[in-house]
């Protein structure tokens, strides 16, 4: 059924995972209002885990460093002064969708492209559907917003997601694209490199069957025991499908 093994979740998810009408209404209204006509849709999903703490300032720097170094976003014009003006070109703008609990990340990304021109002359628009600040899983509306943002991210042409985040896994697997992972912080510092490209569109299974763990305990690559299975790049101990 799945000649390309890493597409199993992608196909099953799109076939079986159907949002309610109210959630799909949120998705369509937002997408059609802000994202549909963009030249390119770039999704960024960012969160901070208790197990890998990092300051908001450093998380913002990590996002900017990753997206600029990997040419996901255009560089800012270093020669632009406060008293100069360069007319933007007439190309359709790029749209950046930020999915995050933290509103300050949106404010800073938006200001970065509002206050400065880009070297390409492109206009970059930044959007954030919600910023709840704290996860509120007991609230139905909060969960509906989260599901809507997963689907909005899945419409992206390029994705940057947080390493180890199941929210991000859902988005890029439904999209069927290989994301860049914002790698987990070490000692509360920005990791080097700040992000890595996934080599598969399959989400990471954080808790693989105990039998697989036992059989691969002394084997670096579990694919030697189970075909098309290897360790995840972004989560120690997890496994995912590869071709």
């Amino acid at each position: 059924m799945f000649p390309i093994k890493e597409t199993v979740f992608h196909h099953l998810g799109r076939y079986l995972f159907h949002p309610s009408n109210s959630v799909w209404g949120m998705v369509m209204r937002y997408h059609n209002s802000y994202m549909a006509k963009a030249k390119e849709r770039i999704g960024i999903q960012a969160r901070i885990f208790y197990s890998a703490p990092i300051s908001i300032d450093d998380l913002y720097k990590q996002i900017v460093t990753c997206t600029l170094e990997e040419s996901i976003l255009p560089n800012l014009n270093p020669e632009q002064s406060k008293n100069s003006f360069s007319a933007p070109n007439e190309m359709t703008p790029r749209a950046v969708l930020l999915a995050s609990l933290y509103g300050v990340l949106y404010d800073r990304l938006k200001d970065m492209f509002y206050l400065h021109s880009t070297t390409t002359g492109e206009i970059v628009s930044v959007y954030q559907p919600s910023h709840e600040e704290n996860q509120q899983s007991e609230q139905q509306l909060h969960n509906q917003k989260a599901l809507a943002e997963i689907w909005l991210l899945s419409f992206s042409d390029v994705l940057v997601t947080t390493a180890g985040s199941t929210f991000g896994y859902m988005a890029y697997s439904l999209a069927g694209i290989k994301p860049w992972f914002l790698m987990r912080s070490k000692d509360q510092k920005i990791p080097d490199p700040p992000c890595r490209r996934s080599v598969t569109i399959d989400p990471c299974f954080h808790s693989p069957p105990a039998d697989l763990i036992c059989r691969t305990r002394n084997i670096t690559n579990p694919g030697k025991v189970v075909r098309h299975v290897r360790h995840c790049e972004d989560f120690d101990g997890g496994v995912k499908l590869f071709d």
Side-chain angles (χ1 to χ4, degrees), residues 116-232:
H116 305 279
S117 65
T118 61
T119 54
T120 60
E122 293 175 276
I123 297 297
V124 178
S125 300
V126 183
Y127 304 102
Q128 184 182 31
S130 68
H131 45 87
E132 304 284 286
E133 301 304 327
N134 296 292
Q135 188 165 333
Q136 305 167 45
S137 300
E138 71 285 355
Q139 299 291 331
Q140 180 70 6
L141 181 58
H142 176 87
N143 293 330
Q144 288 179 323
K145 289 179 180 178
L147 179 55
E149 290 178 29
I150 287 173
W151 276 101
L152 284 167
L153 286 172
S154 78
F155 297 156
S156 301
D157 301 301
V158 182
L159 267 171
V160 178
T161 66
T162 298
S165 170
T166 53
F167 190 110
Y169 293 164
M170 289 290 295
Y172 77 72
S173 294
L174 288 171
I177 59 178
K178 299 173 183 178
W180 274 267
F181 290 127
L182 294 169
M183 301 308 294
R184 286 173 172 250
S185 64
K186 296 181 179 179
D187 300 323
Q188 301 185 34
K189 296 179 181 178
I190 300 174
D192 183 21
C195 59
R196 289 178 56 188
R197 186 78 185 273
S198 176
V199 297
T200 172
I201 67 171
D202 193 55
C204 179
F205 187 14
H206 286 181
S207 302
D211 181 57
L212 177 61
I213 296 174
C214 290
R215 285 190 290 160
T216 62
R217 182 166 294 165
N218 298 317
I219 300 176
T220 303
N221 179 8
K224 294 180 179 179
V225 176
V226 181
R227 294 179 60 195
H228 306 294
V229 175
R230 298 183 198 167
H231 284 301
C232 306

Side-chain angles (χ1 to χ4, degrees), residues 91-134:
M91 295 192 332
T92 305
R94 295 192 194 191
V96 176
L97 180 75
L98 174 66
S100 177
L101 293 170
Y102 323 115
V104 66
L105 291 178
Y106 164 72
D107 291 335
R108 293 184 182 182
L109 282 172
K110 179 189 66 176
D111 284 349
M112 186 172 82
F113 292 105
Y114 173 59
L115 299 174
H116 305 279
S117 65
T118 61
T119 54
T120 60
E122 293 175 276
I123 297 297
V124 178
S125 300
V126 183
Y127 304 102
Q128 184 182 31
S130 68
H131 45 87
E132 304 284 286
E133 301 304 327
N134 296 292

